[in-house]
Amino acid sequence: MVNTLTIDCGGGGLKAAVVDDSDALIGGPIRVPTPYPFPPSRFVSALLDIEGQLPAADRATIGLPGMIRHGVVVATPHYVTRAGPHTTVDPELYAAWTGYDARAVLNRAFGRPVLVLNDAEVHGAGLVVGTGLELVLTLGTGLGNALFDDGVLAPHLELSHGPIRRKRTYDTYIGEIQRRELGNARWSRRVRRVVDGLRPVFRWDRLYIGGGNSALIDAPTLERLGPDVTIVPNTAGVLGGSRAWKLMGA
């Protein structure tokens, strides 16, 4: 039996657990606030501190926000800011994170194999059944997404930065700040509009909506989302760590 440490790195918190090959929980979950500023060196030390609070694991899966290719950070939205999401971008942090080979660094730091993916991709690994086109959307600080075709992970697209209305991106249309400003009822109606708008684009067989804010979608909206949409618990973000290795052929 192989145990996997999974750390879901969000804009507001770092959530972690240890799971086995069957996705059964061995330790955790635990959550600590994401510290800011958050340069790569502090990122590594924070993850090692979390590791020390959980049972020993044979490998690790790290989910990071933003565009991650082959374990390298192409762009990340929160950790380049001085004080957290939607605050001023720090040029030095931006430079430090851009092109940062997180997988190589964490392999050395943990002394064991590490898989680094976009956080929504790890989330999706714990959800998809492997049949047809399955889209995963995560609602939290912003909007995360991952697409799977017959269980195979598609190249990542940063849907969150796409324009949707009046120069707004998906992040600024249904992100956490907007939910707080609008209240759950009006925000939920926006979520429904996003789902209805994306349906003809992806023509998915199944859409999963997860992330910390998925539980805040109100009842009238849930009834209207459609039979092809499933609301899932945020725990998938840590429980998908083991299955991510299988999906990636690792």
Side-chain angles (χ1 to χ4, degrees), residues 43-89:
F43 163 75
V44 174
S45 62
L47 266 54
L48 290 174
D49 182 65
I50 288 172
E51 178 197 31
Q53 301 176 50
L54 291 166
D58 303 289
R59 61 192 184 187
T61 301
I62 311 299
L64 280 172
M67 179 72 77
I68 313 298
R69 290 185 185 146
H70 310 292
V72 176
V73 178
V74 177
T76 188
H78 312 309
Y79 303 158
V80 298
T81 64
R82 292 174 179 168
H86 305 290
T87 63
T88 305
V89 171

Side-chain angles (χ1 to χ4, degrees), residues 118 120-122 124 134-138 144-148 153 156-157:
N118 169 270
E121 293 173 347
V122 179
E134 299 174 277
L135 177 65
V136 178
L137 298 179
T138 56
N145 65 278
L147 186 65
F148 298 81
L153 179 62
H156 185 68
L157 301 175

Side-chain angles (χ1 to χ4, degrees), residues 101-158:
D101 194 339
R103 185 173 188 179
V105 172
L106 293 174
N107 269 320
R108 293 192 296 270
F110 280 95
R112 68 204 68 181
V114 177
L115 186 62
V116 179
L117 297 169
N118 169 270
D119 51 353
E121 293 173 347
V122 179
H123 202 101
L127 299 171
V128 298
V129 298
T131 302
L133 192 72
E134 299 174 277
L135 177 65
V136 178
L137 298 179
T138 56
L139 304 174
T141 304
L143 176 70
N145 65 278
L147 186 65
F148 298 81
D149 184 15
D150 283 341
V152 178
L153 179 62
H156 185 68
L157 301 175
E158 275 291 82

